[in-house]
Amino acid sequence: MVRFLAGKGVQYALVLLFAVTLNFMLPRMMPGSPLVFLAGEDVGFLSEAQRTELLRSLGLDQPLWRQYVQYLGNLATGNLGYSFQKGRPISEIIVERLPWTLLLVGLALLAATLIGVVWGTLVAWRRGSAFDLGSLGISMFFESTPSFWLGMIFIAVFAARLRWFPIFGAQTPGVSLAGWAMVANTAWHLALPLATLTLITIPGNFLIMRYSMLTVLGEQYIATAKAKGLAERTVIYRHAMRNALLPMATVVMLNLGFIASGATVIETVFSYPGVGRLLYEAVLNRDYPVIQATFFILTVSVIAANVLADLLYPLIDPRVRHAR
Amino acid sequence: MRTVAILAMILIAVLATIPAAGLAQTGAVRIAIRRDEGSLNPYTYQSGYPGWNIMTLVYDPLFYPDANNEPIPWLVRDVKVSTDGRTWTLTLHPNVRWHDGRPLTSEDVKFTFEYVQKVTHSRWTPTTRNLDGIEAPNPQTVVFRLKAPDAGFRLRTLADVPILPKHIWESVTTVAAARAFNNTVGSGPFRVEEVRAGQFYRLSAYPQYFAGPVKVRELVLPIVRDATVSFTAVQAGEVDLSERPLNPELVAQFERQPGIKVVRGPGFASTLLQFNLEHPLLRDLRLRRAIANAVNTNLMVKLLTLGYAVVGSPGYIHPASPFYASGLKFEASKAKAVAILNEAGYRDRNNDGVRETPEGTPLRFTLLAQAENPLRIRGAELVRTWLKDIGIAIDVRVADDASVIDLVWPDFDVCKGRRFDLSMFGWSAPVMTRPTALVDLFHSSCQIGTINIGGYKNAQIDRLGEQLVVTVDSNRQKQIAAQMQKIVAEDLPVHVLYYQDVIMAYRAAAHDKWVFQKGQGVLTKLSFVDPPKR
């Protein structure tokens, strides 16, 4: 067991180092300099010395290997660095953005998983029925719908036309609210982005659950359970669904890894102040440290989710435990 | 099943109560802006537009551009320029106070210009290169001494650099510290009350503003990332103005809608077909002239902007600008294009539909376009179609802005050369309004023609340009500018396609005193406060 864990530890450490190196290299390989995004067109009017000074203030005048060593050193001490664009510590910016992303993506994952599981289960039970075929059609539709388009349609219909929900933002701008009014206002703003993200996340879960359920329903113990004369509900939920949930556990773990990276497209369409939009803006602005930091957090959370899955899987699937 | 029903009822009940909480009216004017602008002070705001415009609601420069982009005295009550144009004596308005109550004096002005010289700011540091010294003989008087007379001094320097409070900024001494500094005590008509990063800014009118009452009590500036969403928000009444110019296809719809007013005027941002004049084939004027003749800019304006644009003048300057050389026009003709090519010996020798030079090199070029700008992509496709008609092959290559810049204007330093054939390009409004624009755009020295991205060279332009930059008299400036435009129109270093109109939509109920600044739009200080009386 100890050897197993140590082996895994080394493996993850290597993955982390590789990912961190990639995080460092990728933004710098993109064409375009961060300078213009700091200076705009006027950068053309700066003298060579002034340009160098601006670059120095960002640490970009250093050779690449030195920037890399410094970056690793900073990471080791938990320092994510400063944003080129905003001049602020990145940890501070992320702390502002992360709660919004966790709220949006977390709730969407939860809702999409629950709905996907229940829906997939029910549909598999009635395989071949109109309900099954209709469900497959609907899920294929949402699976293939671009999220920005769905978001735009929701804005046009539910916000602009029907006025049920606000068009943008996480809270009504410029109004100070507290207590329940604040919670209500936040929920009201959350509704559309949450609905969009949930709708496009459901089909993946639904399809996996349906397929897994179909496999389980073919097993002999289900026939046995039916033959025993158990109620339909009991067969579905107790005998079939529980076992069909195993592949879902893996999917949920994988999804969990991406929770902190936010939903870039949806956060952008709805002007939601999450980590995904931060990343999008950082890429546009060539804000290297912010790109690095958001990818770093993503890397760490994906690895953490994998570790968690490795540790939890034996607990939920006895076969893995015995096989070892 | 019963549990589900109960849950659904609770959900509906909660949702029903929510809208009431959100619809509370604020009485503020709400302007959707596209991005974060730092803490809104001079070293943290991000974009030339709308960032500078919003920042100058909090801070005042000495002059400010009026609706015609003429700099008018703002913090300054009286101006005296010496006959050699090198000594400027300014008298400040008395009773100007910082938001913290301290008086604004000539010491602050002197401090500010010395500060931007020392702490590099890409927009202002270069404009102070010509400063020889600043003195503050008494609290109301500032004297600027210039190394040479400077055509752009009033607009580019005095009307652009916001005055900083010395007592607050003197302890901030490095670029890094200034870019992280979030103090916003200014002297402008608005105070920054709240900054919610990534979400919104809230500004309130400064009751003791020296120039008189501020016409709006409160400004709320939410960040709306997507342009279409920001227009939808205006339509639905969630904001009162979007700082972005309205898409042409939305104009008719917005004009019909009650409660919304649409204002329209010339736009000074340009859209160009940029030539690389160092390209072995494109350095040939006959070829450039043929290309320009094949491009139907009139049709382009109709197709791309639904007519909401002005066809380009071959001398670069917009016909609505005071510097425009009147009468300058480019009449395109496909027949002429074909004739020029034939005469120059560019013929299709192997019958592949593409002409070749007498040496056999095919007329095949790559045209770059910016992925973020759908109009330019469609424009590039039109150019390709029209040039194919006259036997010139164009490959349109679309890439993100930064990648295009990397080829056209590497490191934003024209001294570093260029690696492209043709590119869709454009300059923002300030490149049209400043008197020295033609020098920046076309002087052959990369130190002076700092945005001469095509590598254009003409000795006569250089001579006129050097004359223009030291000319202070505005009539003489216009004469020289007109001569320069005529030469540019002959040489065609760029082909100016069009200037898109600026169209803005706002909700009149919230605020109806918007002032349209020619070429730029309504987001100007003049929309919120009248110019100070002498």
Side-chain angles (χ1 to χ4, degrees):
Chain A
M1 192 64 191
V2 173
R3 259 186 70 191
F4 169 75
L5 284 181
K8 280 273 175 199
V10 170
Q11 203 181 325
Y12 282 129
L14 284 177
V15 170
L16 188 65
L17 184 68
F18 179 71
V20 160
T21 309
L22 212 60
N23 285 353
F24 177 81
M25 291 311 298
L26 275 180
R28 285 171 172 77
M29 279 156 61
M30 288 193 290
S33 145
L35 209 55
V36 71
F37 301 100
L38 295 172
E41 276 173 358
D42 298 297
V43 78
F45 295 98
L46 286 178
S47 67
E48 192 65 39
Q50 287 158 348
R51 259 177 244 226
T52 316
E53 202 209 320
L54 265 185
L55 285 177
R56 185 165 52 233
S57 74
L58 305 175
L60 287 173
D61 58 329
Q62 304 280 329
L64 210 55
W65 66 269
R66 192 168 289 171
Q67 290 182 41
Y68 179 61
V69 169
Q70 194 173 10
Y71 169 60
L72 287 186
N74 281 345
L75 275 187
T77 56
N79 179 358
L80 291 175
Y82 283 78
S83 157
F84 288 171
Q85 194 81 50
K86 303 176 198 286
R88 299 171 54 206
I90 293 170
S91 46
E92 203 180 290
I93 302 173
I94 295 210
V95 164
E96 281 167 6
R97 301 294 187 106
L98 200 55
W100 295 112
T101 279
L102 293 180
L103 184 68
L104 173 63
V105 185
L107 281 179
L109 268 186
L110 188 69
T113 308
L114 288 180
I115 297 172
V117 163
V118 174
W119 193 20
T121 305
L122 294 178
V123 159
W125 186 254
R126 295 196 228 157
R127 182 186 188 179
S129 68
F131 175 47
D132 182 22
L133 295 178
S135 298
L136 272 178
I138 292 173
S139 70
M140 290 297 184
F141 173 76
F142 283 111
E143 172 90 354
S144 50
T145 302
S147 51
F148 73 89
W149 182 80
L150 192 64
M152 289 298 232
I153 296 291
F154 275 19
I155 290 175
V157 175
F158 298 109
R161 183 148 302 261
L162 295 171
R163 304 284 168 88
W164 289 354
F165 298 103
I167 290 173
F168 65 87
Q171 287 171 334
T172 303
V175 183
S176 17
L177 295 164
W180 280 111
M182 200 260 281
V183 174
N185 190 279
T186 309
W188 185 49
H189 280 79
L190 184 64
L192 282 187
L194 179 60
T196 316
L197 188 54
T198 306
L199 275 178
I200 56 161
T201 317
I202 288 173
N205 295 331
F206 163 77
L207 290 171
I208 287 172
M209 191 59 198
R210 177 181 174 276
Y211 180 72
S212 161
M213 190 68 183
L214 285 177
T215 317
V216 170
L217 286 177
E219 299 282 343
Q220 287 186 347
Y221 64 84
I222 299 294
T224 314
K226 282 193 204 158
K228 281 198 292 188
L230 294 178
E232 190 173 277
R233 283 175 68 119
T234 319
V235 179
I236 299 180
Y237 292 110
R238 271 227 142 115
H239 295 251
M241 189 174 100
R242 277 195 175 187
N243 285 306
L245 274 174
L246 277 175
M248 275 307 294
T250 316
V251 174
V252 169
M253 286 298 171
L254 283 179
N255 282 340
L256 263 186
F258 289 94
I259 191 172
S261 66
T264 305
V265 173
I266 287 178
E267 286 175 3
T268 305
V269 169
F270 288 95
S271 301
Y272 213 76
V275 178
R277 203 182 100 201
L278 183 69
L279 172 62
Y280 171 70
E281 287 168 4
V283 170
L284 284 186
N285 295 330
R286 301 293 189 266
D287 197 338
Y288 300 160
V290 173
I291 304 178
Q292 283 162 203
T294 37
F295 274 128
F296 176 71
I297 289 172
L298 173 66
T299 316
V300 169
S301 55
V302 168
I303 292 179
N306 268 295
V307 172
L308 203 64
D310 273 345
L311 294 176
L312 283 183
Y313 220 68
L315 299 181
I316 47 179
D317 188 353
R319 286 172 302 182
V320 178
R321 203 161 38 205
H322 295 312
R324 191 170 295 146
Chain B
M1 216 50 221
R2 215 178 335 145
T3 355
V4 176
I6 291 171
L7 277 176
M9 278 166 66
I10 292 174
L11 191 69
I12 290 167
V14 169
L15 285 179
T17 58
I18 288 167
L23 284 173
Q25 257 301 335
T26 61
V29 173
R30 298 153 303 172
I31 306 172
I33 59 174
R34 68 189 83 180
R35 58 180 297 172
D36 246 319
E37 295 289 352
S39 54
L40 286 187
N41 73 33
Y43 274 82
T44 61
Y45 83 93
Q46 306 275 315
S47 59
Y49 177 89
W52 183 87
N53 305 54
I54 297 168
M55 183 273 295
T56 54
L57 298 178
V58 182
Y59 292 82
D60 287 315
L62 293 172
F63 283 65
Y64 197 77
D66 72 358
N68 290 314
N69 297 294
E70 293 282 346
I72 51 169
W74 200 270
L75 285 177
V76 162
R77 199 168 52 168
D78 191 45
V79 191
K80 281 194 191 73
V81 187
S82 65
T83 41
D84 64 358
R86 288 177 49 204
T87 308
W88 291 59
T89 309
L90 311 182
T91 311
L92 299 178
H93 271 282
N95 311 321
V96 183
R97 285 186 181 276
W98 296 106
H99 296 157
D100 62 6
R102 299 235 208 155
L104 185 154
T105 69
S106 56
E107 277 302 322
D108 293 304
V109 177
K110 178 172 151 67
F111 169 79
T112 301
F113 286 89
E114 286 167 356
Y115 192 85
V116 299
Q117 280 182 311
K118 206 167 60 221
V119 181
T120 304
H121 189 290
S122 53
R123 182 161 171 142
W124 303 313
T125 307
T127 74
T128 55
R129 227 175 268 163
N130 189 31
L131 272 185
D132 205 19
I134 311 154
E135 285 144 51
N138 65 58
Q140 244 59 62
T141 310
V142 200
V143 183
F144 289 87
R145 286 185 211 293
L146 309 186
K147 292 174 189 154
D150 178 358
F153 188 59
R154 204 186 287 253
L155 184 73
R156 280 275 280 154
T157 312
L158 297 181
D160 210 84
V161 180
I163 303 306
L164 296 169
K166 181 182 178 188
H167 61 284
I168 288 170
W169 286 78
E170 61 189 343
S171 60
V172 185
T173 51
T174 63
V175 177
R179 293 177 49 80
F181 195 50
N182 56 16
N183 184 287
T184 54
V185 170
S187 62
F190 289 94
R191 282 189 298 210
V192 178
E193 296 287 348
E194 193 178 0
V195 177
R196 198 82 70 79
Q199 298 190 56
F200 65 84
Y201 297 90
R202 190 164 60 82
L203 277 56
S204 74
Y206 178 41
Q208 280 89 46
Y209 192 56
F210 79 99
V214 183
K215 297 169 192 172
V216 166
R217 189 176 56 79
E218 189 173 75
L219 277 184
V220 175
L221 312 169
I223 297 162
V224 182
R225 197 57 235 193
D226 187 273
T228 318
V229 172
S230 80
F231 303 136
T232 311
V234 174
Q235 239 177 338
E238 260 180 60
V239 297
D240 304 303
L241 171 80
S242 168
E243 54 72 15
R244 291 183 246 227
L246 197 60
N247 294 346
E249 54 273 20
L250 291 176
V251 173
Q253 189 190 345
F254 272 69
E255 276 173 342
R256 277 197 308 272
Q257 185 160 335
I260 291 185
K261 279 194 190 169
V262 177
V263 283
R264 188 156 77 85
F268 283 171
S270 55
T271 302
L272 329 158
L273 182 60
Q274 174 73 49
F275 298 109
N276 175 0
L277 289 107
E278 288 174 350
H279 187 283
L281 299 181
L282 290 167
R283 61 166 26 136
D284 181 356
L285 171 61
R286 295 170 302 180
L287 185 55
R288 297 199 300 275
R289 187 168 289 281
I291 291 175
N293 266 293
V295 174
N296 187 342
T297 42
N298 285 306
L299 186 55
M300 201 177 241
V301 163
K302 270 192 210 105
L303 290 176
L304 300 186
T305 70
L306 303 179
Y308 294 117
V310 171
V311 170
S313 157
Y316 185 80
I317 300 295
H318 192 294
S321 157
F323 290 97
Y324 171 65
S326 53
L328 212 54
K329 251 184 121 170
F330 188 85
E331 300 285 356
S333 135
K334 193 176 136 188
K336 205 154 103 199
V338 172
I340 295 173
L341 289 174
N342 287 341
E343 199 179 314
Y346 295 118
R347 287 174 198 280
D348 185 5
R349 292 169 171 81
N350 54 6
N351 289 317
D352 63 346
V354 180
R355 291 168 188 263
E356 287 90 27
T357 62
E359 294 76 36
T361 319
L363 300 186
R364 184 180 289 283
F365 305 100
T366 302
L367 170 58
L368 301 172
Q370 291 80 355
E372 287 89 344
N373 197 326
L375 284 194
R376 287 200 194 154
I377 298 174
R378 286 168 61 196
E381 281 162 356
L382 288 175
V383 169
R384 175 178 58 192
T385 312
W386 290 327
L387 291 187
K388 189 170 177 245
D389 281 353
I390 60 162
I392 297 176
I394 293 289
D395 299 311
V396 173
R397 209 175 116 204
V398 178
D400 73 328
D401 279 3
S403 307
V404 172
I405 288 283
D406 204 40
L407 295 169
V408 176
W409 192 14
D411 290 338
F412 303 97
D413 184 351
V414 292
C415 298
K416 294 200 173 154
R418 43 200 64 78
R419 293 177 286 141
F420 72 107
D421 305 342
L422 291 158
S423 179
M424 298 297 285
F425 213 80
W427 298 103
S428 61
V431 178
M432 190 68 68
T433 50
R434 53 179 173 241
T436 56
L438 291 165
V439 189
D440 304 337
L441 281 165
F442 300 122
H443 195 285
S444 68
S445 154
C446 62
Q447 312 284 351
I448 303 170
T450 46
I451 54 176
N452 181 0
I453 55 175
Y456 172 56
K457 287 186 178 60
N458 180 311
Q460 219 182 337
I461 282 280
D462 290 356
R463 200 175 39 76
L464 287 168
E466 282 150 30
Q467 214 180 324
L468 177 60
V469 290
V470 296
T471 303
V472 186
D473 176 68
S474 83
N475 282 325
R476 184 74 194 112
Q477 283 177 0
K478 282 168 196 164
Q479 282 169 9
I480 302 174
Q483 278 174 280
M484 291 178 77
Q485 286 169 69
K486 279 176 191 141
I487 298 169
V488 169
E490 279 303 311
D491 282 356
L492 288 174
V494 293
H495 186 44
V496 186
L497 302 171
Y498 58 84
Y499 323 90
Q500 205 170 348
D501 289 351
V502 173
I503 312 168
M504 297 186 96
Y506 63 87
R507 303 192 70 85
H511 184 53
D512 201 13
K513 298 198 169 65
W514 299 101
V515 173
F516 190 94
Q517 185 186 356
K518 220 189 242 176
Q520 316 215 45
V522 298
L523 200 52
T524 153
K525 203 186 321 232
L526 300 169
S527 289
F528 304 105
V529 59
D530 291 327
K533 287 163 198 74
R534 288 277 172 125

